[in-house]
C-alpha cells in the first residue's frame, strides 16, 4: 500500500512455509503496516487478499509468526479466524531484547475445488 506521497506504508506477502513436499499446502504470511498508519484498517485490507490467494492456490493452512507483544497484529489475525497454536520463548532478538514469538494458524476449507 502506498500513501498519497508515494511512500510505502504497508505490504503483505504469502510465502512458502517449507521446501519439503509434505508442506506444499501450507504457507506463512507477513503483514507490515507503518507505525503512523496503524489503526486505519490497512492491515485488514492487506490480510484479506492473502487469505483469498491462499484459497485460490489450494492451500490448506496459513501460519503467522508474531511477536508476543504485538497486540495489534495478534488482534488482526484473530479477527480473520487465526488461532494461537504455539508459543516459542525468547527465539527472536530485536530492539536490544529477546522476544517471544507466537504461532497462529488459519485452516482453510479442504479440499478446494482446484486440487485433485
Amino acid at each position: 500500500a502506498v500513501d498519497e506521497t508515494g511512500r510505502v506504508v504497508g505490504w503483505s506477502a504469502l510465502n512458502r512455509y517449507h521446501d519439503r513436499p509434505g508442506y506444499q499446502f501450507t504457507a506463512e504470511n507477513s503483514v507490515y503496516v507503518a507505525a503512523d498508519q496503524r489503526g486505519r484498517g490497512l492491515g485488514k485490507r492487506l490480510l484479506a487478499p492473502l487469505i483469498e490467494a491462499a484459497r485460490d492456490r489450494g492451500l490448506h493452512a496459513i501460519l503467522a509468526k508474531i511477536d508476543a507483544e504485538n497486540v495489534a497484529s495478534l488482534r488482526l489475525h484473530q479477527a480473520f479466524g487465526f488461532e494461537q497454536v504455539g508459543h516459542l520463548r525468547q527465539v527472536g532478538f530485536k530492539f536490544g531484547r529477546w522476544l517471544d514469538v507466537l504461532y497462529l494458524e488459519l485452516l482453510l476449507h479442504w479440499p478446494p475445488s482446484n486440487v485433485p
Side-chain angles (χ1 to χ4, degrees):
V2 178
D3 71 7
E4 61 280 348
T5 69
R7 180 177 71 115
V8 174
V9 294
W11 59 266
S12 59
L14 195 60
N15 301 299
R16 174 180 285 150
Y17 169 66
H18 201 288
D19 288 336
R20 291 187 181 147
Y23 299 103
Q24 66 185 308
F25 298 108
T26 301
E28 181 180 339
N29 79 357
S30 298
V31 177
Y32 169 80
V33 176
D36 65 335
Q37 299 294 311
R38 295 180 185 151
R40 300 179 181 189
L42 185 54
K44 290 179 183 177
R45 294 194 311 266
L46 292 168
L47 184 52
L50 287 186
I51 295 169
E52 286 309 310
R55 285 189 173 108
D56 291 346
R57 286 179 168 171
L59 296 179
H60 178 61
I62 304 172
L63 299 177
K65 292 185 262 186
I66 302 172
D67 171 0
E69 295 180 12
N70 189 341
V71 175
S73 187
L74 293 168
R75 285 184 183 154
L76 169 67
H77 284 79
Q78 290 165 344
F80 280 88
F82 282 77
E83 297 180 354
Q84 183 177 328
V85 294
H87 185 148
L88 304 177
R89 299 193 187 280
Q90 299 183 11
V91 295
F93 188 81
K94 199 161 71 168
F95 311 123
R97 60 191 175 88
W98 291 103
L99 303 174
D100 287 5
V101 174
L102 302 181
Y103 269 74
L104 279 72
E105 178 184 45
L106 177 66
L107 294 178
L108 304 169
H109 177 70
W110 190 261
S113 58
N114 62 342
V115 175

